[in-house]
Amino acid sequence: MSPKFSSAEDQTQQGSTLEAMELVDRSDKKDAYLPQGEGDGDGEQTALPRTGYGYDEEAVAAGRYRKYDHGVLGLAKKGMDILVEHGVEERGIDPRPEDDRDELTIWSYLPQTTLWAAFNTNILSFSEGVIGPALFGLNWKASASCIVLFTLASGIPVAYCATNGPKTGMRQMVQARYGLGYFPAMIFGLINCATMIGFMSLTAILAGQCLSLASNSTMSYDVGIVIAALIALILSFVGLRALHIVSLTAFPLMIIVYIALAGLSGSKLHLAVSEAAAAATNVTASGVLGYGASLIGFTITYSALASDFTTSLPAHTPRLQLFLCVYLGLTIPIILITLLGAACQLAAFSVVEWGEASEIGVGNLIFAIFGGGGGARFVMVLFCLSVVANTAPTIYSAGLSGQVAIPFLIRIPRYFLAVIVTAIYLPIAIVGASKFYVALENFSAVLSYWTALYIPPTLIEPMVFRRPVSRKTYPVEIWNKIGKLPMGLASLAAAACGIPIIAAGMSQSWWTGWIARRITEGSGDVAFEFGACVVTLVFLPARYLERKYTGR
């Protein structure tokens, strides 16, 4: 509040004094001022030079007083203030205080469900189903069993991690510091960034294919990729509220599209169990394990960003309700759409038009199912929007993981990080557009490997050593204190033991470990399963000893 003056002379001085004052901390919205000049002893105000500063009259009228540098820097600061005042989210990985959370209502759960549903109600999930028969040679029974079982299991860690967001007010990779340690969390944050950039590249490629088909091939893949990337950038730039709005819009639209897709393909889906499909597939143990590794990588990697979208909920948010919302919103779309993709690919072995389109790309397969006319081109545009609903939240989280991996980036506003992330993945997508199937197979499987090192400590720490999860067991005041957080000895020991086992269980075109070679047909991928077990067995006692002897 403005100071009170008892005399007319003081009231006259009030105006000149206020002109030389600035807001100390605009973030707490209090009228705190500092004088820029002092009296010279004769009752006159000694004005300090105003060189380098301009004054915002609108801010003064609104009760806030700010200073801005002249030139480009001043315009940039003023522009950032305007963006934040008009709804652009500025907060990065610094914990969200309780008084800055949304009020909990029955409608608070809807955006959490639709966000994850829109995340996965897209063409990438359909593509994950296609590669079961196309790349791993699985028939309908084997494909469906893998899709349901591996997806249901992989969704549990994701939903659990999401429920810790309201309890701590911390982003996912910041929480990881409390179990992994400050410096190991930096490494995993960097790997998580690479993972999300890879996924965004794949989804952008699919978006480019969809827009190219929508334009009757008059638009190149590269132009389509750029258009989809720019739309996703705008949404992630604005922040979480924009992501919720687009998910509430995209999810119902894509439900209608997939119902139409199922309806149009329904008369031929019985061919998924035809003799042609049986002849084109050959179920093996290595194929089942390889597809399982791909499905695990497709779903469980969301654990590294799960609570990024739940910190706006209050701490008293019930864990069970939030768990179910995230779990069902995540797993049901993946299962249903992936099953549809597998069925369509198996039927394509009997339908010549579908088979020829599938060899070109997933977008072409869907385009052929819709008949290839004007309606099909409109559907391709909708599929591009579904890709945006996946890419925009991923850009959002990639920027946050970047701040954990490179702490210097905390000084950069969150929304500018969205620009940086887009500038990284966009050229990768353009370069990799020609080999989508092979990229998806190799990349999805590799993703599950590093999560075998990350998931066990991420689950064990809150469930065993910091139970019950709260701002007391996860003290917010040490979130960026290297000397207060765990040293990371337990996580490093677990990783040192887990990495050799993961390497031994891998089965890729460029490497097959000695354990994988002993599986039937000599290429069974068991890296995630074996690696996660070893990391769990090592981390539990190692973390107990670390806490006992270091007190962290």
Side-chain angles (χ1 to χ4, degrees):
M1 298 178 58
S2 300
K4 296 182 179 180
F5 293 81
S6 57
S7 66
E9 180 180 357
D10 290 340
Q11 291 176 359
T12 301
Q13 291 180 356
Q14 178 186 9
S16 60
T17 302
L18 287 176
E19 290 182 358
M21 294 180 176
E22 66 177 358
L23 181 62
V24 175
D25 186 358
R26 63 180 177 85
S27 63
D28 62 5
K29 300 180 180 179
K30 295 180 180 179
D31 293 331
Y33 296 93
L34 284 177
Q36 287 190 334
E38 301 292 342
D40 61 1
D42 298 325
E44 296 183 0
Q45 185 77 12
T46 303
L48 295 179
R50 296 187 183 181
T51 303
Y53 295 103
Y55 293 96
D56 190 338
E57 295 180 358
E58 294 182 2
V60 174
R64 301 183 307 276
Y65 207 67
R66 301 177 182 172
K67 68 176 184 179
Y68 296 104
D69 295 333
H70 283 310
V72 176
L73 184 59
L75 289 175
K77 289 181 178 179
K78 187 173 183 179
M80 289 189 290
D81 289 342
I82 293 173
L83 289 173
V84 174
E85 289 174 1
H86 287 79
V88 173
E89 182 181 354
E90 185 179 26
R91 183 181 298 277
I93 61 171
D94 52 310
R96 187 184 294 270
E98 183 67 26
D99 58 3
D100 191 27
R101 314 276 187 92
D102 297 335
E103 182 181 356
L104 182 66
T105 68
I106 190 173
W107 299 107
S108 300
Y109 300 103
L110 179 62
Q112 298 299 328
T113 305
T114 57
L115 177 71
W116 289 100
F119 233 132
N120 296 286
T121 311
N122 62 59
I123 195 172
L124 189 61
S125 298
F126 187 90
S127 303
E128 183 65 20
V130 167
I131 68 174
L135 291 177
F136 294 100
L138 303 186
N139 59 20
W140 170 247
K141 184 177 180 179
S143 296
S145 299
C146 287
I147 289 167
V148 173
L149 295 177
F150 282 106
T151 302
L152 288 177
S154 300
I156 294 175
V158 182
Y160 174 76
C161 289
T163 62
N164 290 333
K167 304 299 181 184
T168 63
M170 300 179 194
R171 310 288 193 175
Q172 188 61 56
M173 295 307 294
V174 175
Q175 292 179 41
R177 289 175 171 176
Y178 289 76
L180 298 172
Y182 187 91
F183 292 108
M186 292 174 61
I187 298 173
F188 282 103
L190 186 61
I191 297 174
N192 191 35
C193 285
T195 299
M196 288 187 278
I197 287 171
F199 258 130
M200 286 185 288
S201 300
L202 293 177
T203 54
I205 291 169
L206 284 172
Q209 293 175 351
C210 290
L211 288 182
S212 178
L213 290 169
S215 67
N216 201 20
S217 298
T218 59
M219 178 187 297
S220 68
Y221 283 4
D222 293 351
V223 175
I225 289 171
V226 171
I227 292 174
L230 291 178
I231 297 173
L233 170 61
I234 293 171
L235 294 171
S236 60
F237 187 91
V238 175
L240 195 55
R241 294 188 184 278
L243 300 181
H244 285 317
I245 292 173
V246 73
S247 68
L248 288 168
T249 304
F251 178 53
L253 287 175
M254 293 314 300
I255 289 178
I256 296 173
V257 170
Y258 273 109
I259 290 175
L261 179 62
L264 291 172
S265 61
S267 62
K268 298 179 181 179
L269 288 183
H270 68 281
L271 297 174
V273 292
S274 65
E275 293 182 0
T281 56
N282 180 28
V283 180
T284 62
S286 61
V288 170
L289 292 172
Y291 191 38
S294 179
L295 289 165
I296 290 172
F298 190 81
T299 305
I300 205 168
T301 48
Y302 285 124
S303 300
L305 53 93
S307 71
D308 289 352
F309 311 109
T310 59
T311 56
S312 61
L313 295 173
H316 63 271
T317 302
R319 186 184 290 275
L320 179 60
Q321 287 89 320
L322 182 57
F323 178 92
L324 291 175
C325 287
V326 174
Y327 185 73
L328 297 177
L330 172 71
T331 57
I332 291 179
I334 292 178
I335 290 174
L336 294 180
I337 296 173
T338 309
L339 287 174
L340 181 59
C344 288
Q345 176 59 41
L346 287 165
F349 293 128
S350 301
V351 182
V352 177
E353 295 82 2
W354 291 13
E356 293 176 350
S358 177
E359 291 179 359
I360 300 174
V362 177
N364 297 78
L365 174 59
I366 295 176
F367 192 69
I369 293 174
F370 274 99
R377 288 195 289 271
F378 175 70
V379 169
M380 289 297 103
V381 175
L382 295 180
F383 270 108
C384 176
L385 294 178
S386 76
V387 169
V388 170
N390 177 285
T391 306
T394 309
I395 295 174
Y396 179 90
S397 286
L400 300 176
S401 289
Q403 288 185 324
V404 173
I406 308 174
F408 173 81
L409 295 179
I410 296 175
R411 301 179 182 181
I412 300 177
R414 182 211 59 81
Y415 42 85
F416 280 155
L417 295 177
V419 179
I420 297 174
V421 171
T422 302
I424 295 173
Y425 87 83
L426 185 55
I428 296 175
I430 292 175
V431 172
S434 59
K435 295 183 178 180
F436 175 73
Y437 272 142
V438 176
L440 181 60
E441 175 199 6
N442 293 332
F443 186 74
S444 295
V446 170
L447 292 184
S448 66
Y449 299 149
W450 79 268
T451 56
L453 305 176
Y454 169 80
I455 297 295
T458 300
L459 297 180
I460 290 171
E461 188 69 22
M463 297 177 71
V464 177
F465 297 112
R466 297 184 185 271
R467 187 177 179 183
V469 177
S470 68
R471 292 172 74 88
K472 292 183 178 179
T473 54
Y474 280 77
V476 68
E477 62 273 8
I478 69 168
W479 72 276
N480 61 346
K481 306 294 184 183
I482 300 176
K484 300 289 185 179
L485 290 166
M487 299 176 66
L489 300 177
S491 61
L492 292 176
C497 296
I499 289 174
I501 299 299
I502 291 173
M506 289 174 56
S507 177
Q508 295 294 318
S509 58
W510 44 272
W511 172 259
T512 302
W514 65 268
I515 296 178
R517 290 196 298 268
R518 296 177 182 274
I519 305 295
T520 306
E521 291 85 33
S523 57
D525 196 313
V526 291
F528 176 83
E529 294 88 338
F530 280 33
C533 290
V534 170
V535 171
T536 300
L537 293 175
V538 174
F539 183 79
L540 268 169
R543 182 72 179 111
Y544 172 79
L545 294 174
E546 182 181 29
R547 286 171 59 89
K548 180 178 180 180
Y549 291 106
T550 67
R552 303 184 192 180

